[in-house]
Amino acid sequence: MLNIAVMVSGGGTNLQALLDAEKAGGLGGGRIVCVIASKENVGALRRAEAFSVPGEVCRRTAFSCEEEYENALFAILDKYNIDLIVLAGFLSILSKRVTERYANRIINIHPALIPSFCGKGYYGLKVHEAALAAGVKVTGATVHFVNEIPDGGAIIAQKAVYIEPDDTPETLQRRVMEQAEWILLPQVVRQFCQGQIRIVDNKTYITEEKQDV
Ligand code: GRF
């Protein structure tokens, strides 16, 4: 049984997909034991509460330096004995000290097909605005391991979504969530919890799902 922390900054629809998957027995034995928000009053904290999952707030600006913030974050992660951190719409960039302590144990969902439309500054609607501005016909979502380079860790899974001629950033964002993000993230968390993800030379390989006996 792996203990999962989900880190959030916003509405939390991806968190919701994970909570629903856990309830349906779809996280491969993993359980969400806390939700950590980057600020107070985000919608994701209310979703956690509705599922009786403890919510914590760790706000970077509440600390005088990066190291103090990291220490506070580590204290929360230690308190819940966390094995896997899932960034689900978490807007801060985690420092190397954090990504190294949890090397290959932090995953993030990004709403584009990495290496397109990713890296510093590509978050929220900006990602979809950039895809539409580039005129690409296909976009999607990517789940990847997190290292100190924004959106730069090994790719674990991707799902493509077609762009429609009359798409706006908002309609595209919604379709990418519905058709890709909410499916892909619980799937990868399940694979992680079942020990199916292997990483070699910054590339991942998914081994076959273990059958229940
Ligand atoms: C999602 O598009 C996710 O891919 C990105 O931030 C957004 C979060 O949405 N990293 P939500 O808070 O899960 O609704």
Side-chain angles (χ1 to χ4, degrees), residues 158-195:
Q158 295 187 299
K159 196 164 190 300
V161 173
Y162 283 107
I163 289 179
E164 304 291 346
D166 56 353
D167 262 331
T168 63
E170 289 79 7
T171 61
L172 183 57
Q173 179 182 52
R174 182 77 193 174
R175 188 162 347 94
V176 168
M177 284 179 161
E178 287 175 351
Q179 294 185 4
E181 296 185 46
W182 301 339
I183 300 164
L184 212 54
L185 190 58
Q187 175 197 304
V188 171
V189 170
R190 184 178 68 244
Q191 289 169 333
F192 183 96
C193 292
Q194 292 186 332

Side-chain angles (χ1 to χ4, degrees), residues 114-150:
I114 290 174
S116 291
F117 316 120
C118 65
K120 207 165 186 295
Y122 284 99
Y123 61 89
L125 277 179
K126 289 181 194 296
V127 180
H128 305 291
E129 281 163 8
L132 292 176
V136 294
K137 306 298 181 196
V138 179
T139 184
T142 302
V143 180
H144 61 94
F145 280 117
V146 173
N147 61 15
E148 73 280 8
I149 303 159

Side-chain angles (χ1 to χ4, degrees), residues 9-30:
S9 298
T13 63
N14 280 286
L15 168 67
Q16 189 66 53
L18 292 169
L19 291 166
D20 291 341
E22 183 184 343
K23 197 171 171 196
L27 288 191

